[in-house]
Amino acid sequence: MKSMLLDFLNVTESAAIAASPWIGSGDKIAADNAATNVMRDTFNLLPISGTVVIGEGEIDDAPMLFIGEKLGKGNSPELDIAVDPIEGTTPTVNGQRNAITVIAAAPKGSLLHAPDMYMEKIAVGPKAKGKIDIELPLQDNMKKVAEANGKQVNELNIYVQDRPRHEEYIRTIREAGAKVHLFRDGDVIYSTATCIKNMNVDMFIGIGGAPEGVLSAVAMKSLGGEMQARLIPQSEDEVKRCLRMGMKEPKCALYHHQLVNSDDCAFIATGITDNLLLNGIKTDSGQHMTQSILISGKEKRLRYIESVHVMQEARAATIES
């Protein structure tokens, strides 16, 4: 996996650049389509035999890199691939913060195979690893996280997506005296931030997409944190989809090793717009400037990568002159 990291970086950078003309456009379908097509095309240049096990599109009615799709030239290694060509389509097309393009990869059979549906998630950093239990009440988990982090409960910083479905979480956290930090989009960003010391994010909790959950789980495993989850099927059809994918108990608790069971994994994200982890794309004088994070599970290392990409038009003009 280590030898593929820069190739994977090229995938996210290319998809982010493809999405950048649609920043502020209001056109979600065009933005997602641009990023998805370039991500697929770039993956298909790689000497891998990849299978999309976590795809995007069903919840947002966007063009898909669909679950089961084959990527790469068909060579070894055989890999599970999780993708979100634009995590934060709405902020992208509204010119707002918190949009990234992101992928994760691990050896075949290592990532959870789950439909694109809602998932309850709880995430903590390395100090609280092994202390949480999604089956316990939120108050109990807060006490355990506070103790692990050397804090009082009223000192905890807990990040929750600003959605009506999270009103009970928000009420419980505030009644306990802890601090709620609301965000509109980007739960991959905020769950991953629990593992980065200077971010001061003690816990992430909420209900969001399963693709984002598995992507986050790879980043967090590589950085020593922990995520637990539970799928939340919204209909009998979604329950049947889980069963068809081999999940005998669709609503059971999913522990971190069930989301990703290999240390030989990789998580790569490139900023589209500015966010807590990354700067968004900047364009100037015929160049795109990108910032990305590259996380290697084998090395337990996070790298920040800044790249300059010369636009094709600018390159052609230079050659002609």
Side-chain angles (χ1 to χ4, degrees):
M1 190 72 64
K2 181 179 177 181
S3 64
M4 301 295 301
L5 292 178
L6 291 180
D7 292 316
F8 293 147
L9 175 64
N10 186 46
V11 173
T12 61
E13 288 178 338
S14 298
I17 290 169
S20 64
W22 302 101
I23 295 172
S25 69
D27 194 336
K28 292 176 66 173
I29 293 176
D32 238 338
N33 194 33
T36 299
N37 288 339
V38 168
M39 180 171 278
R40 175 184 287 114
D41 291 345
T42 310
F43 258 125
N44 283 333
L45 297 174
L46 301 183
I48 62 170
S49 180
T51 302
V52 177
V53 298
I54 291 290
E56 65 90 41
E58 293 176 22
I59 287 177
D60 293 328
D61 193 29
M64 284 193 289
L65 274 158
F66 59 86
I67 294 170
E69 181 171 353
K70 302 299 181 182
L71 297 173
K73 294 182 176 180
N75 308 47
S76 60
E78 292 184 289
L79 301 176
D80 284 349
I81 305 291
V83 302
D84 199 341
I86 302 182
E87 152 71 336
T89 309
T90 297
T92 296
V93 302
N94 287 341
Q96 298 168 327
R97 291 175 57 85
N98 289 348
I100 60 175
T101 185
V102 57
I103 65 173
K108 183 179 179 180
S110 298
L111 300 184
L112 175 73
H113 293 217
D116 186 357
M117 63 175 57
Y118 282 109
M119 173 185 274
E120 180 183 6
K121 296 165 262 190
I122 180 171
V124 294
K127 288 183 180 179
K129 180 180 179 181
K131 307 297 183 182
I132 58 171
D133 188 341
I134 197 169
E135 302 276 37
L136 293 178
L138 176 55
Q139 299 96 319
D140 292 351
N141 281 305
M142 290 167 61
K143 290 175 184 176
K144 291 176 179 291
V145 172
E147 182 179 358
N149 288 349
K151 293 184 174 184
Q152 300 297 315
V153 169
N154 63 7
E155 296 176 305
L156 289 176
N157 294 299
I158 302 177
Y159 281 69
V160 183
Q161 192 174 22
D162 188 6
R163 296 289 189 272
R165 61 181 178 267
H166 294 148
E167 288 179 0
E168 184 65 20
Y169 291 137
I170 294 166
R171 182 191 63 78
T172 299
I173 295 166
R174 286 179 171 159
E175 285 183 355
K179 299 173 180 65
V180 174
H181 298 264
L182 296 175
F183 63 92
R184 286 296 302 169
D185 298 278
D187 69 10
V188 172
I189 294 165
Y190 291 95
S191 52
T192 300
T194 61
C195 298
I196 301 175
K197 188 175 180 179
N198 63 354
M199 299 294 179
N200 199 25
V201 180
D202 296 301
M203 180 189 293
F204 162 90
I205 189 163
I207 297 169
E212 291 83 355
V214 175
L215 285 159
S216 303
V218 174
M220 297 182 67
K221 183 175 182 65
S222 302
L223 295 175
E226 182 177 8
M227 173 175 280
Q228 296 180 12
R230 182 189 289 110
L231 289 171
I232 306 178
Q234 300 290 297
S235 65
E236 186 61 30
D237 180 61
E238 288 194 342
V239 171
K240 290 178 181 178
R241 283 161 54 203
C242 290
L243 294 173
R244 285 197 301 269
M245 296 180 76
M247 303 188 69
K248 295 180 181 179
E249 298 181 46
K251 298 180 183 180
C252 70
L254 296 166
Y255 297 98
H256 208 153
H257 71 276
Q258 294 169 291
L259 300 172
V260 51
N261 64 16
S262 174
D263 287 328
D264 190 17
C265 53
F267 172 96
I268 303 92
T270 298
I272 298 173
T273 62
D274 291 346
N275 57 79
L276 187 66
L277 297 181
L278 293 164
N279 295 327
I281 291 176
K282 304 294 186 291
T283 302
D284 183 53
S285 301
Q287 297 179 334
H288 294 299
M289 288 146 283
T290 61
Q291 187 178 52
S292 306
I293 52 173
L294 193 157
I295 303 174
S296 167
K298 209 66 177 280
E299 297 177 295
K300 305 297 183 189
R301 181 179 298 174
L302 181 154
R303 295 179 175 89
Y304 279 87
I305 309 290
E306 294 186 346
S307 302
V308 176
H309 311 260
V310 178
M311 291 187 225
Q312 293 294 330
E313 295 84 353
R315 186 183 298 123
T318 301
I319 292 171
E320 287 173 5
S321 63

